[in-house]
């Protein structure tokens, strides 16, 4: 690389493993609606698995509590992808708000991961960019609010 961090013409391309990673990352780009649907599935699976946490699945070598933790991790990754892309329309912002509001009521999630903080920051930035004022509600949303 030259002194500006730009590859010089005689440098080799990334290795095969890296190129495969880049190809998968590019192909995995999905619209926010698809990401939200995937997030919802992982989130629902975590709740379902947690109903019988001690049930062991020998084919995976884990009990349902552990598998539920894995489903939450998968959901959090989707939440990061949802948060990452700047919202250019209200629907995308609404998806981020939905993810945030769902995750914030889960006990211990904020202590277990910084994903909630990142989703909140992205949600607030997008709202400001779209000219929308977000205000926390002290009670559940009702017609009078």
């Amino acid at each position: 690389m030259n002194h500006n961090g730009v590859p010089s013409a005689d440098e080799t391309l990334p290795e095969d493993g890296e190129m495969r990673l880049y190809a998968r990352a590019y192909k995995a780009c999905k619209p926010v609606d698809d990401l939200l649907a995937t997030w919802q599935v992982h989130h629902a699976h975590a709740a379902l698995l947690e109903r019988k946490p001690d049930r062991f699945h020998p084919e995976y070598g884990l009990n349902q509590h552990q598998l539920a933790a894995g489903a939450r991790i998968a959901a959090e990754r989707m939440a990061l992808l949802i948060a990452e892309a700047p919202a250019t329309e209200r629907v995308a912002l609404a998806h981020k708000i939905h993810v945030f509001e769902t995750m914030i009521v889960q006990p211990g999630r904020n202590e277990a991961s910084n994903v909630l903080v990142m989703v909140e920051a992205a949600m607030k930035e997008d709202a400001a960019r779209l000219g929308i004022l977000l205000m926390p509600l002290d009670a559940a949303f009702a017609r009078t609010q």
Side-chain angles (χ1 to χ4, degrees):
M1 289 200 190
N2 66 21
H3 66 282
N4 293 326
V6 178
S8 59
D10 61 345
E11 289 189 66
T12 60
L13 290 174
E15 295 177 8
D16 180 65
E18 293 164 324
M19 293 292 265
R20 289 179 187 277
L21 170 67
Y22 305 151
R24 283 192 314 273
Y26 179 79
K27 290 175 184 177
C29 290
K30 296 179 180 178
V32 71
D33 291 342
D34 292 349
L35 294 171
L36 180 67
T38 304
W39 173 82
Q40 289 171 323
V41 167
H42 296 324
H43 181 72
H45 287 166
L48 179 66
L49 290 163
E50 207 49 74
R51 289 182 186 164
K52 294 184 180 178
D54 295 328
R55 182 176 173 203
F56 186 74
H57 291 265
E59 64 273 31
Y60 306 112
L62 300 171
N63 64 32
Q64 286 191 184
H65 174 73
Q66 294 163 321
L67 290 166
R72 279 190 291 279
I73 291 167
E76 289 170 353
R77 288 182 179 156
M78 288 299 112
L80 284 174
L81 292 174
I82 291 166
E84 184 269 333
T88 57
E89 54 189 45
R90 289 174 178 255
V91 172
L93 175 59
H95 290 337
K96 290 180 189 185
I97 293 169
H98 172 68
V99 168
F100 175 78
E101 288 179 342
T102 302
M103 291 178 69
I104 195 144
V105 296
Q106 297 172 339
R109 290 320 307 151
N110 207 27
E111 293 78 23
S113 169
N114 286 323
V115 170
L116 189 58
V117 173
M118 292 182 259
V119 172
E120 181 181 22
M123 176 183 78
K124 288 178 178 179
E125 180 64 27
D126 287 345
R129 188 180 305 109
L130 292 170
I132 298 170
L133 176 63
L134 297 178
M135 295 178 15
L137 300 175
D138 293 335
F141 185 76
R143 293 182 115 164
T144 59
Q145 293 179 315

